[in-house]
Amino acid sequence: MKVNADVLEYWNREDVESMYDKHLINAEIDLILQSIPPNSKILDVGCGEGEGTLRYSYVEGVTIHGADFSETRLKLARERLKDRTNVTLKQVDFLEDYDLDKDYDVIISQRFIINLMDWKLQSKVLIDLTKMLKPGGRLILLEGSQLGVDSLNEFRQTVGLEPIPVKWHNLFLNDTDLVDLMRENNFDLIKTDGLGTYFLLTRGIRPLLDSSVDWNCEYNRIAASGKVKNVLQFASKFSRLRLWVFQK
């Protein structure tokens, strides 16, 4: 069973970028970094262009295997990571047979699972990933949250804005179903977090002030700052992307 051909074709396009909002992707990476222990052997699943992989590679003592199904994404990742001797990249379709190690301390999935557009496939891949972790290993997910989508869209509706749809090539996770699945497979949820403050400010409030889209604007930079997050303290609420850390 291969990945959806339309999804692969999309990610193999030269004109597609994994995340146009660089403030957001950096905030995602910052959240993930907080849960990576030093000296870990890491599998970065769906590593894409390697933006996260590069940052993770600077954690003390880590070794990283990065895997992605798109040759176009891997080409960009190889260029970005060419000087990182502790990173190995490999093209993998996680719905086919593949050969990866079975002794990882940490497996990271950053907006990878949502590209499998069926919960049964998502569940299968998640369970397959858990089998590659050592006892005590961590599965770090930074994935789309349907609950976050709904809460942000409820706010937008209240202030007269149209809802933000989930992209055609994504299926966001049902938060409850995910936690139940992992618990059924003997994984404990040891941490959850989100980027609710950033999403509320940039997708809920800024459109009321300025309808133009400029991801690199000063407003978004300020919204991504730690000081703003600490003041407003929205974590998972309003957060279309959510962090879950499960331990085996």
Side-chain angles (χ1 to χ4, degrees):
M1 183 185 299
K2 295 184 178 181
V3 296
N4 185 298
D6 292 337
V7 177
L8 180 56
E9 181 182 2
Y10 174 79
W11 286 117
N12 272 334
R13 284 170 45 186
E14 297 281 353
D15 62 330
V16 168
E17 194 166 347
S18 64
M19 175 59 74
Y20 294 92
D21 183 349
K22 297 307 179 186
H23 295 297
L24 176 56
I25 194 170
N26 285 327
E28 295 175 29
I29 294 167
D30 287 343
L31 279 185
I32 292 170
L33 279 168
Q34 295 172 19
S35 296
I36 300 178
N39 305 309
S40 294
K41 181 177 179 180
I42 300 169
L43 174 62
D44 188 7
V45 184
C47 64
E49 295 148 34
E51 289 172 294
T53 318
L54 178 62
R55 296 267 308 275
Y56 310 143
S57 73
Y58 286 97
V59 176
E60 180 183 357
V62 301
T63 300
I64 302 181
H65 296 169
D68 201 277
F69 69 157
S70 166
E71 180 55 36
T72 301
R73 299 302 112 189
L74 286 170
K75 179 181 177 182
L76 295 167
R78 291 187 191 104
E79 179 62 26
R80 176 172 276 124
L81 296 159
K82 61 185 178 182
D83 297 325
R84 303 305 297 157
T85 58
N86 60 339
V87 178
T88 302
L89 297 174
K90 185 173 183 178
Q91 188 170 11
V92 175
D93 179 345
F94 282 89
L95 296 179
E96 291 281 282
D97 292 334
Y98 56 89
D99 182 24
L100 289 170
D101 293 346
K102 301 293 189 291
D103 61 345
Y104 294 104
D105 301 293
V106 173
I107 295 179
I108 300 167
S109 174
Q110 185 178 356
R111 285 182 284 106
F112 158 66
I113 293 295
I114 57 175
N115 286 282
L116 305 171
M117 297 187 296
D118 181 282
W119 170 238
K120 289 183 179 179
L121 294 181
Q122 292 176 337
S123 301
K124 176 189 181 303
V125 172
L126 283 167
I127 299 309
D128 289 346
L129 293 178
T130 66
K131 296 175 182 177
M132 293 188 283
L133 281 168
K134 292 179 181 177
R138 293 180 178 182
L139 177 64
I140 302 175
L141 304 179
L142 195 297
E143 295 283 352
S145 161
Q146 188 59 49
L147 186 61
V149 168
D150 293 342
S151 62
L152 181 61
N153 282 338
E154 287 171 8
F155 177 85
R156 285 175 61 92
Q157 182 179 25
T158 300
V159 297
L161 295 170
E162 292 294 317
I164 301 174
V166 173
K167 291 184 177 180
W168 69 266
H169 55 86
N170 288 161
L171 175 65
F172 278 20
L173 297 172
N174 179 299
D175 300 53
T176 301
D177 289 348
L178 172 64
V179 174
D180 287 346
L181 174 72
M182 298 305 296
R183 285 176 175 163
E184 289 167 4
N185 286 273
N186 300 313
F187 274 72
D188 294 324
L189 178 62
I190 63 171
K191 183 176 182 180
T192 184
D193 206 341
L195 302 164
T197 297
Y198 185 73
F199 276 102
L200 177 64
L201 291 175
T202 61
R203 275 68 165 172
I205 294 176
R206 183 169 185 266
L208 297 172
L209 309 173
D210 184 354
S211 60
S212 65
V213 176
D214 177 7
W215 298 124
N216 198 38
C217 66
E218 182 67 6
Y219 178 97
N220 284 19
R221 186 193 69 78
I222 295 171
S225 70
K227 291 182 180 179
V228 172
K229 179 180 178 181
N230 291 338
V231 169
L232 296 182
Q233 295 185 346
F234 291 113
S236 299
K237 189 172 180 61
F238 307 120
S239 190
R240 287 169 57 90
L241 297 169
R242 185 172 180 179
L243 175 80
W244 293 271
V245 181
F246 296 97
Q247 188 158 21
K248 191 170 185 178

